């Protein structure tokens, strides 16, 4: 009954196909001399192709691409270095669900009375609580203050600055975690628990872990939210769903990279003769040194991110302008 007013949009194909078409066309024409149209856009004079993939307009999309397609690919390629430079952030983020929980399981977790024991994994709720506090503070207090008194930018700070702030906080998080773990090991040594029975509790309150969880929540509010906005804002309109998938995929990739880092650390430390740094007995392990390694790797990654962000150019040409240039200049070749 509602078909007369319901607007049905026919599928237009996968955005990955559009990306592949530009890359294939560029590979085929990388030796072709470019010519300049009056709008200063590169285009190919070869507009007719034969084959089963020829479109109705007579153009083969795998040999001749539009200006809009080329610009879309350039926007996507521009975001890849940012994506790669944020993987180390999620490596540190992965510790919230693994080693932080194992740390908490060895510490005193009584709350108010000895009858109530805090589950180790429940400390992860501190991350969500910190995000709930940080995001309104950022939007209602930080952004207006910075915009009015410091930068004059409509968003207070740019998206890349917001992401970079989260990366810097992840370095601080790893350093704080290392310092807390060093103290836990000293307490365990003082009470003779280095080789204590399995499940022995180190007389140190679990609330010492609150700072690293809180910093993790703040870094999450800066970097993850910043990545979401960046990939949505800078992606072509037809690929914004892919941008949403790309930013959240960093978390999964970071977990895999974290596994690789742990494997390498375990292998190197066992060959050094001092035993594995991340053994089952945390009181005999060197978890603090592992956290310092993460802090060092994050610091190096942060420097790389600064170089990438410095050369990043935000999208300024609107898509309707690109289509207008496309109508003026005709089809664009696979070269960008």
């Amino acid at each position: 009954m509602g078909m007369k007013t319901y607007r049905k949009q026919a599928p237009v194909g996968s955005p990955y196909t559009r990306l592949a078409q530009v890359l294939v066309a560029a590979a085929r024409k990388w030796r072709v001399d470019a010519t300049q149209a009056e709008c200063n856009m590169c285009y190919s004079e070869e507009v007719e192709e034969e084959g089963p993939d020829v479109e109705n307009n007579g153009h083969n999309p795998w040999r001749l691409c539009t200006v809009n397609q080329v610009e879309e690919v350039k926007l996507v390629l521009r975001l890849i270095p940012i994506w790669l430079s944020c993987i180390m952030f999620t490596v540190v983020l992965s510790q919230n669900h693994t080693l932080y929980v194992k740390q908490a399981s060895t510490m005193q977790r009584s709350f108010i009375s000895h009858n109530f024991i805090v589950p180790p994994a429940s400390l992860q709720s501190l991350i969500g609580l910190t995000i709930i506090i940080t995001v309104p503070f950022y939007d209602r207090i930080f952004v207006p203050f910075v915009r009015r008194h410091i930068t004059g930018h409509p968003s207070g700070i740019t998206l890349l600055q917001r992401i970079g702030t989260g990366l810097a906080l992840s370095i601080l998080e790893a350093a704080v975690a290392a310092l807390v773990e060093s103290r836990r090991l000293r307490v365990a040594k003082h009470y003779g628990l280095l080789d204590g029975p399995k499940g022995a509790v180190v007389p140190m309150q679990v609330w010492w872990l609150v700072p690293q969880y809180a910093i993790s929540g703040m870094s999450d509010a800066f970097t993850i939210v910043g990545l979401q906005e960046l990939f949505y804002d800078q992606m072509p309109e037809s690929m914004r769903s892919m941008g949403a998938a790309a930013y959240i995929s960093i978390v999964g990739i970071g977990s895999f990279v974290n596994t690789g880092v742990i494997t390498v650390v375990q292998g190197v430390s066992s060959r050094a003769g001092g035993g594995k740094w991340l053994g089952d007995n945390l009181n005999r392990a060197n978890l603090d040194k592992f956290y310092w390694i993460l802090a060092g790797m994050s610091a190096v990654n942060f420097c790389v991110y600064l170089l990438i962000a410095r050369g990043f150019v935000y999208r300024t040409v609107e898509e309707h302008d690109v289509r207008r240039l496309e109508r003026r200049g005709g089809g664009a070749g696979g070269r960008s």
Side-chain angles (χ1 to χ4, degrees):
M1 294 179 62
M3 290 300 293
K4 292 184 178 180
T5 58
Y6 183 76
R7 300 180 62 183
K8 296 178 64 177
Q9 185 174 1
V12 294
S14 170
Y16 296 101
T17 302
R18 295 173 62 85
L19 291 176
Q21 287 172 346
V22 175
L23 297 177
V24 170
R28 286 177 170 178
K29 297 186 178 183
W30 71 282
R31 292 181 179 273
V32 176
D33 293 332
T35 57
Q36 297 291 327
E38 60 178 358
C39 60
N40 201 32
M41 288 288 182
C42 295
Y43 69 98
S44 172
E45 296 179 355
E46 183 183 6
V47 296
E48 294 186 0
E49 299 289 342
E50 296 181 357
D53 55 351
V54 176
E55 293 183 340
N56 295 331
N57 58 6
H59 296 175
N60 183 343
W62 296 94
R63 288 184 177 272
L64 187 66
C65 301
T66 64
V67 174
N68 195 27
Q69 282 182 277
V70 175
E71 292 300 317
E72 287 176 350
V73 173
K74 289 166 67 176
L75 290 173
V76 173
L77 294 179
R78 195 181 305 165
L79 291 170
I80 292 178
I82 300 294
W83 186 89
L84 291 173
S85 63
C86 291
I87 291 179
M88 192 61 215
F89 166 81
T90 56
V91 172
V92 178
L93 193 67
S94 300
Q95 312 313 315
N96 299 329
H97 321 295
T98 53
L99 295 178
Y100 288 1
V101 176
K102 194 170 184 179
Q103 272 183 286
S105 65
T106 66
M107 304 170 72
Q108 287 185 349
R109 292 175 279 114
S110 58
F111 181 67
I112 300 177
S113 67
H114 293 286
N115 296 326
F116 183 79
I117 304 299
V118 177
S122 65
L123 292 178
Q124 297 177 56
S125 61
L126 295 173
I127 299 175
L129 180 62
T130 305
I131 294 174
I132 292 174
I133 296 173
T134 302
V135 171
F137 175 83
Y138 178 86
D139 288 335
R140 299 297 182 181
I141 299 177
F142 178 80
V143 170
F145 177 81
V146 174
R147 179 178 59 226
R148 187 177 302 113
H149 300 288
I150 301 178
T151 63
H153 193 276
S155 300
I157 57 177
T158 65
L159 292 176
L160 291 179
Q161 288 172 339
R162 180 172 187 171
I163 295 171
T165 301
L167 297 184
L169 287 173
S170 70
I171 302 173
L172 178 62
E173 175 193 348
V176 169
L179 293 174
V180 172
E181 175 62 13
S182 297
R183 176 178 172 79
R184 193 193 68 82
L185 291 176
R186 289 196 301 269
V187 173
K189 182 178 180 180
H190 177 75
Y191 286 92
L193 296 175
L194 294 182
D195 297 306
K198 186 176 181 180
V201 176
V202 177
M204 178 177 171
Q205 287 294 327
V206 74
W207 308 119
W208 279 88
L209 300 179
V210 170
Q212 62 201 59
Y213 275 107
I215 297 173
S216 179
M218 288 188 289
S219 65
D220 197 312
F222 277 91
T223 296
I224 296 298
V225 176
L227 284 171
Q228 182 179 12
E229 293 185 8
L230 180 71
F231 276 77
Y232 182 84
D233 180 68
Q234 296 298 309
M235 272 285 186
E237 185 177 352
S238 61
M239 300 183 184
R240 281 178 174 169
S241 60
M242 187 175 72
Y247 99 86
I248 201 63
S249 67
I250 297 178
V251 178
I253 298 298
S255 298
F256 283 109
V257 175
N258 177 56
T259 302
V261 172
I262 291 176
T263 301
V264 172
V265 169
Q266 292 286 72
V268 173
S269 60
S270 61
R271 292 192 188 96
K276 294 182 178 180
W277 281 10
L278 305 177
D280 293 332
N281 182 8
L282 283 188
N283 295 337
R284 277 292 182 185
N286 293 283
L287 186 57
D288 55 335
K289 295 180 181 179
F290 176 72
Y291 287 151
W292 282 120
I293 288 178
L294 292 184
M297 294 175 63
S298 298
V300 173
N301 177 78
F302 181 67
C303 295
V304 174
Y305 172 82
L306 292 179
L307 294 176
I308 295 173
R310 186 175 182 180
F312 186 85
V313 179
Y314 288 93
R315 183 179 65 173
T316 56
V317 179
E318 298 294 337
E319 293 192 5
H320 63 80
D321 294 331
V322 174
R323 288 193 290 269
R324 177 173 54 82
L325 292 174
E326 181 182 327
R327 288 194 297 270
R328 291 177 57 190
R335 296 164 60 97
S336 59

